Amino acid sequence: MVVLVTTIINQFRAVQLRDTGEIGSAYIQGFLTPYAQEAYDEGQLSPLRRAELLRLVGSFALERRFDAIRIRAQDGDVLFASDSEASVLAESPEEFLQAARGLVLVDVHPATADSDIHAYPTIEIYAPIYHRTTKQLIAVGEIYQDARPLLAERAQFERMVWGAVGLATLGFLAIMFVLAAQHQQLAQHLHHQREIAQQNQQLRAATEAAWRTSGQVHEALLNNLGAELHDGPIQMLSLLALMKPTDQGNAAPSGSSAEVIARDVMADLRRISSGLTLPELGHLSVQETLMLALTRHANATGTEVLHDFGPLPDTVDDQRKTCLYRIVQEGLNNAFRHGGGFGQRVIARVEHDAICVTVVNSARATEGATQGVTTTRNAGLGVIGLRNRLKVFGGTLHAARLDDGGFALAVKLPLR
């Protein structure tokens, strides 16, 4: 930008001086040529013609603000001068010498304290004068003009150019800043879109895996349910069907009455259905939800379940309460199924904005102590279901065997 502005200003100055020189040369050729030709032919300018030239120079000098006009021969002698300083000229300036060779010279002379003409900046114009008949160079005309209007015009133009370039530069910088900000925003948006696309791919893969696991779980659940019904209630109902009426004096092969068998069938059916229905948890707090699962398990199995509850939130959404209920239910079922219900304990508290629940049981004390404990098929099915439940909330599940032979199921359920 600086180079461009400097070039424009230099070209403007050159054009300005050239136009000024052309105007001054036209004055010299139009007005001074007859007098210079007479002085050349006669050897000097007569007093009458000198007075006439002074009046003529005075008229257009006032109009053009000329400070002095001179005519000098090729050897430097002054033929005519409208100022008094011409009589004390010591030597001819370089501009005169070049004009004496046929060139038009224009220059701006700075102010000089010891000169009447140059007390302020002046424009000096040197132009050759030719004989009208022979076209021979016979003299040099000089015009000294006030340069302040020209310099003021030049300064105004330069301020205008610098101002325009400054505004253009500011506009360009503003555009570059806006483009850079937009580029950064687009880059951030693209990065965000890529992250979303990657998350979508991960969610799609997790959904497909959950769909496949869900199918397997459902199939295993149906198989488990069919086995439970076949091995339990159906077998008892088959036994009941073989029994003869009591008026014939025949009892059941096992010696049990029909009423006892019917009660056993009802108990089995209640046990099976209890794991299939959703609990009613809408009005319960988190602690009440955990206690409901704990109490139902204790009542159903006749075992003791200890609990250690730390600070817990009063309410969470229904989906999380259902998930917590199933966690305790499945953990205690596994403890009863594999450990006979010994040392059952439920620990729950809030840690780092998440509900942490741990279900622990001890190893079986003796083989005889666990007689009558019922084990079901597909023991690992519930843990898989819990893990899939927790994935929806970003939770985690860890199952590990303890040093004493017991088992621990640890779950972390984020609150948000």
Side-chain angles (χ1 to χ4, degrees):
M1 288 295 182
V2 174
V3 174
L4 176 62
V5 172
T6 303
T7 302
I8 294 174
I9 290 176
N10 290 336
Q11 290 181 350
F12 176 78
R13 291 180 178 181
V15 171
Q16 192 183 41
L17 292 177
R18 184 186 63 203
D19 292 344
T20 302
E22 290 178 353
I23 294 173
S25 178
Y27 270 96
I28 290 174
Q29 298 298 330
F31 293 98
L32 300 184
T33 298
Y35 300 95
Q37 184 173 330
E38 179 179 340
Y40 176 79
D41 292 338
E42 301 296 332
Q44 62 178 356
L45 193 63
S46 63
L48 182 62
R49 296 287 286 176
R50 183 183 298 275
E52 179 184 347
L53 181 56
L54 282 174
R55 288 193 302 271
L56 180 62
V57 169
S59 63
F60 64 76
L62 291 176
E63 179 183 354
R64 295 294 302 175
R65 288 179 293 186
F66 292 155
D67 293 313
I69 295 179
R70 301 172 185 170
I71 302 176
R72 289 203 285 182
Q74 287 181 286
D75 57 4
D77 291 340
V78 177
L79 302 177
F80 171 81
S82 63
D83 61 303
S84 59
E85 292 186 8
S87 59
V88 295
L89 289 176
E91 59 182 9
S92 299
E94 179 63 27
E95 291 82 359
F96 167 80
L97 299 178
Q98 294 186 34
R101 293 193 291 268
L103 299 178
V104 176
L105 276 300
V106 183
D107 191 17
V108 177
H109 196 281
T112 303
D114 57 353
S115 172
D116 294 337
I117 296 178
H118 300 300
Y120 46 81
T122 57
I123 303 172
E124 299 180 359
I125 305 172
Y126 299 83
I129 300 176
Y130 297 93
H131 197 283
R132 288 184 173 180
T133 303
T134 62
K135 306 301 179 181
Q136 179 183 357
L137 195 153
I138 58 176
V140 172
E142 301 175 12
I143 293 179
Y144 298 87
Q145 183 179 359
D146 188 354
R148 286 175 292 184
L150 181 141
L151 294 178
E153 180 183 3
R154 177 184 295 180
Q156 181 180 4
F157 175 79
E158 292 178 2
R159 286 194 299 269
M160 181 179 65
V161 172
W162 280 112
V165 172
L167 291 176
T169 302
L170 291 177
F172 178 75
L173 292 177
I175 292 174
M176 292 298 295
F177 177 78
V178 172
L179 291 177
Q182 290 180 348
H183 176 74
Q184 185 177 5
Q185 291 178 356
L186 289 175
Q188 293 176 351
H189 181 69
L190 179 60
H191 179 70
H192 182 62
Q193 291 297 325
R194 287 177 177 173
E195 288 182 345
I196 292 177
Q198 185 177 4
Q199 293 176 0
N200 288 337
Q201 291 178 356
Q202 295 174 353
L203 290 174
R204 187 180 298 110
T207 302
E208 293 176 354
W211 183 265
R212 290 192 298 268
T213 304
S214 176
Q216 297 171 359
V217 169
H218 289 165
E219 183 178 356
L221 177 61
L222 292 176
N223 292 335
N224 187 31
L225 181 59
E228 290 284 347
L229 292 173
H230 180 271
D231 297 341
I234 293 177
Q235 293 291 342
M236 299 298 290
L237 289 174
S238 299
L239 178 62
L240 184 62
L242 294 175
M243 294 179 63
K244 294 180 180 181
T246 56
D247 56 2
Q248 299 179 8
N250 295 326
S254 61
S256 301
S257 65
E259 183 179 356
V260 174
I261 294 175
R263 283 199 302 268
D264 291 340
V265 171
M266 293 299 294
D268 281 344
L269 289 175
R270 288 192 185 96
R271 179 180 58 81
I272 295 172
S273 63
S274 66
L276 300 176
T277 58
L278 288 174
E280 297 179 358
L281 308 174
H283 64 287
L284 301 181
S285 66
V286 173
Q287 182 169 332
E288 291 171 343
T289 300
L290 298 177
M291 286 300 301
L292 178 62
L294 186 150
T295 303
R296 285 184 176 179
H297 177 81
N299 294 336
T301 60
T303 59
E304 182 183 9
V305 182
L306 302 178
H307 67 274
D308 179 12
F309 294 160
L312 293 170
D314 293 334
T315 59
V316 294
D317 54 86
D318 292 341
Q319 292 80 5
R320 282 180 169 80
K321 280 195 289 187
T322 302
C323 184
L324 290 171
Y325 182 91
R326 293 304 190 196
I327 288 169
V328 175
Q329 183 187 50
E330 180 62 26
L332 291 176
N333 284 341
N334 287 339
F336 180 74
R337 182 181 302 119
H338 300 294
F342 291 97
Q344 296 176 125
R345 187 167 73 257
V346 178
I347 304 169
R349 55 180 44 84
V350 174
E351 295 179 1
H352 304 294
D353 207 20
I355 299 177
C356 298
V357 178
T358 304
V359 181
V360 183
N361 67 277
S362 302
R364 297 184 182 184
T366 62
E367 188 64 27
T370 59
Q371 290 180 357
V373 174
T374 302
T375 59
T376 58
R377 303 179 183 184
N378 301 314
L381 180 63
V383 175
I384 297 176
L386 288 181
R387 185 170 282 114
N388 287 333
R389 280 179 182 269
L390 288 165
K391 281 184 179 179
V392 176
F393 306 103
T396 58
L397 181 148
H398 298 284
R401 187 165 298 279
L402 302 177
D403 295 338
D404 61 358
F407 200 80
L409 183 71
V411 168
K412 183 177 181 181
L413 177 65
L415 291 174
R416 288 190 294 272

